[in-house]
Each structure stands twice: as structure tokens, then as C-alpha cells.
Amino acid sequence: MRSTGTSDFEKCPRYFMWRHRYGLSWPTETLAPHLGTFYHAAQGAYYLNPAGGAETMHNGVQKAYQQVLDSLIDSANKEGRLPSGTPLSTAIQKADEAKAKGSALALWTMQRYPLDRGLYRPIAVEKLITLRGPDGLMVPITGRIDLILRNTKTNNLVNVDHKTFNGSTANRASTLPFETQPRIYRLLVEKFLKTVPQYAKSKLSSCFHTILRTPTIRQTQKETVAQYLDRLSARYDDDDKKAKLEGEPPPYLISDIPYEGPALDFELQQKIQTLQIAASCDPAPHKFPTHDGACFKYNRPCMFLPLCRAGAQGRADQW
């Protein structure tokens, strides 16, 4: 089970069932999710080779782009249309646009808000980690960690999780300590460090959530890459001034959350056990209720809404 399944289950157990138990999904066609995917891929390439600049980021994004392209092509019918009816050529065009803007956004961000290379050294980038037993895990949990840094002064280690968000960075930062997925990331990183002799006894002290407020997608779709970056620069110059003079949340925020107590506390253990049951029980719709508000979000119906309306309703007290 991928760590993303935790947020999907909390969003709606029925959504979790369709996506993670039956493996059903539609390929992403909109600009926003692709932009985040390529932004993450470009960032990973940058941390591996910061001197490489735009060329390094371009190469790092190619693998992610190929996966998106394969997903779109595999989902198209003989008439060249996706399940939603969108022409394959249109979806590929949006992916191409997201690739160019996501790469440019990552390079622009890293140059504007550079990592202190004297204080922090990357020890792992885009690391895929799998957590197996003991701990009562019937189904292994897998997650991809964005970045692990070593503090050169204290020798402590820091887990880094990149986030993009179109609202207040401070509001996003306030919810992260209570979300399940970041807490599972801590478990995964601790498991990984135990397998690396030179870091087995090092302290994993905190998590940096690097939160970038992204501009509205509606306007982004109408811009070239140059226009997109020009607008970002002007907007962020203004937002950075307001952050310094008026105390408003900055457009790029590093939220440092100290790690205290055991990674696997009672609450998280209970959540993981529930997820383990959901990941291994009979995937019958009546066992996976829908959550109020999950069927329609941002004025759009869930991709699985027709399936839910055609099947049995789950019991609200199942979980």
C-alpha cells in the first residue's frame, strides 16, 4: 500500500476502495496535478546536481513525463479519446505545458530560495522506502521521500517534504503536524536510516515542509513559460515585502516541525491498523462508506461517483 492511500482513505473509504483495492483510476488530464508532479521531479534532479541547472532538471523530468505519457496513451481508445472523452492530443498538449512550466518553476524556486549548502547536505533524494513488519503490518507500506538532509553542524538529519499549495502557506503549515501521511513518512525515514550504517545512530530531529504557494491555474494556462515566470517574480516580490513589513505569510515557507516522542504513537498505530484492515479485507462496497462532501469537490464530481451510485451504500459506522 502506498502512503498516498492514507490520505485517500481519510478523504473517503469508498474512494480508497476503488483506487487502491480495485486499481481503478483515470489518467490525469488537467494542468495542476501534472505541474506538481514535474515540479517534484525537477526539484529532485536539482538536489542531486545543483550545478547542472536547467539541463539537469530537464533530464530529471523526462522519466516522470514518460510515465504520464504512457498512462495517457494506454487509456485512450481506438478513436484517440480518453475515458472522459478528451482527445488524447489535447491531454498530451497539457502534459507538455505542465512539463515546461513545472521544470521552470522548480529551477526558479531553487534559485530564488536556495538551500544553505554549507549547513545542509543531501544524503537521499526521491528515495522509495517500504515498511514491512513486525509492528503488525499485514500489508507493507511504501512511500517516496522527497529529500533527507544532514545538518553539518549538529550531524542531525532532517526529513524534507515538498508541498505546493494555492492558498495561505501558514494555513497549510498548521495542518501538517496532524496529518497521517507526514507521520508515516517519519516511520519510513527512520526505517531507511537503520539500514545505512553511517546514519544508524544519527538523530532524525525534524521535518522541513517546504510550502510553495502556486498561482491560479486558470491564468497559468493562458501564459507562455516566460510570462508565467515574469508574473511569479512580480507577485512574489510583492508578497515577500508584505511578509516582512506586514507579517503576512510568505509565498515560500519552510515549516520546521520537531520530532518528539515515538514515531509510532498509539493514535498512529490505530490508524495504521485500520488502514491495514482496509487494504486486506474483502473489497465489497458495503464495507467502504462514502464521506459527506467527497463526492463533489471544487464543483467537480468524483471520478468514481457513477460506480458508487450504481452499487450498495456502505455503513457509516464500518470504520
Side-chain angles (χ1 to χ4, degrees):
M1 183 177 68
R2 294 191 61 82
S3 57
T4 51
T6 62
S7 55
D8 286 341
F9 183 83
E10 291 174 344
K11 176 171 63 177
C12 177
R14 183 74 62 81
Y15 182 93
F16 170 89
M17 181 196 74
W18 293 127
R19 185 177 183 187
H20 296 275
R21 296 304 310 278
Y22 285 94
L24 301 179
S25 65
W26 281 4
T28 301
E29 302 174 23
T30 56
L31 179 61
H34 284 326
L35 194 65
T37 296
F38 298 137
Y39 172 78
H40 274 69
Q43 275 195 318
Y46 176 85
Y47 282 116
L48 284 172
N49 180 19
E55 183 178 353
T56 294
M57 287 190 165
H58 173 78
N59 294 335
V61 167
Q62 277 301 115
K63 183 178 180 181
Y65 175 75
Q66 191 60 50
Q67 291 174 343
V68 169
L69 201 61
D70 291 344
S71 174
L72 292 172
I73 293 173
D74 291 344
S75 302
N77 60 20
K78 294 180 180 179
E79 288 73 33
R81 291 186 176 272
L82 300 181
S84 63
T86 301
L88 176 60
S89 57
T90 301
I92 291 177
Q93 183 179 359
K94 290 183 179 179
D96 290 340
E97 179 185 355
K99 174 187 171 185
K101 291 179 179 176
S103 302
L105 176 62
L107 180 60
W108 179 87
T109 304
M110 294 300 95
Q111 290 175 342
R112 185 181 179 97
Y113 307 103
L115 174 71
D116 186 344
R117 290 272 168 177
L119 182 59
Y120 294 105
R121 301 287 175 82
I123 68 168
V125 179
E126 292 289 320
K127 184 68 178 180
L128 187 66
I129 304 172
T130 299
L131 180 66
R132 296 182 173 86
D135 299 327
L137 294 182
M138 297 175 287
V139 180
I141 298 176
T142 299
R144 188 176 298 278
I145 305 302
D146 291 333
L147 180 65
I148 304 174
L149 299 173
R150 179 178 66 86
N151 186 311
T152 57
K153 290 185 177 180
T154 65
N155 212 38
N156 288 342
L157 304 178
V158 178
N159 176 29
V160 181
D161 184 24
H162 305 310
K163 299 289 185 185
T164 54
F165 189 59
N166 60 4
S168 166
T169 53
N171 289 346
R172 185 71 184 95
S174 67
T175 66
L176 287 167
F178 308 101
E179 296 179 13
T180 303
Q181 188 178 12
R183 297 165 70 188
I184 288 180
Y185 281 168
R186 179 185 174 186
L187 284 176
L188 294 172
V189 173
E190 289 187 351
K191 166 68 182 301
F192 164 70
L193 294 176
K194 289 178 181 179
T195 66
V196 184
Q198 67 190 100
Y199 300 119
K201 296 183 179 180
S202 298
K203 179 183 178 182
L204 182 64
S205 60
S206 63
C207 178
F208 287 173
H209 291 286
T210 63
I211 308 170
L212 176 71
R213 184 171 68 231
T214 53
T216 57
I217 291 299
R218 181 174 297 178
Q219 187 171 352
T220 300
Q221 292 175 329
K222 303 175 182 178
E223 298 171 320
T224 65
V225 173
Q227 291 171 334
Y228 175 60
L229 295 180
D230 286 344
R231 180 165 63 92
L232 277 181
S233 296
R235 169 78 182 273
Y236 281 31
D237 286 342
D238 185 54
D239 287 350
D240 280 332
K241 288 180 182 178
K242 289 181 179 179
K244 292 179 180 179
L245 299 176
E246 304 174 19
E248 293 189 8
Y252 182 78
L253 175 67
I254 298 180
S255 174
D256 185 5
I257 301 175
Y259 284 148
E260 299 175 350
L264 189 63
D265 58 20
F266 179 75
E267 180 188 4
L268 183 58
Q269 189 171 15
Q270 292 294 101
K271 287 186 175 184
I272 289 179
Q273 288 176 350
T274 299
L275 286 165
Q276 292 289 297
I277 295 172
S280 58
C281 72
D282 176 31
H286 72 274
K287 293 185 177 182
F288 292 81
T290 58
H291 274 182
D292 291 341
C295 298
F296 294 90
K297 193 172 183 180
Y298 307 121
N299 296 320
R300 294 180 179 178
C302 171
M303 69 175 75
F304 303 125
L305 184 60
L307 291 174
C308 291
R309 285 182 169 173
Q313 293 298 313
R315 299 203 324 270
D317 62 349
Q318 182 67 36
W319 304 102

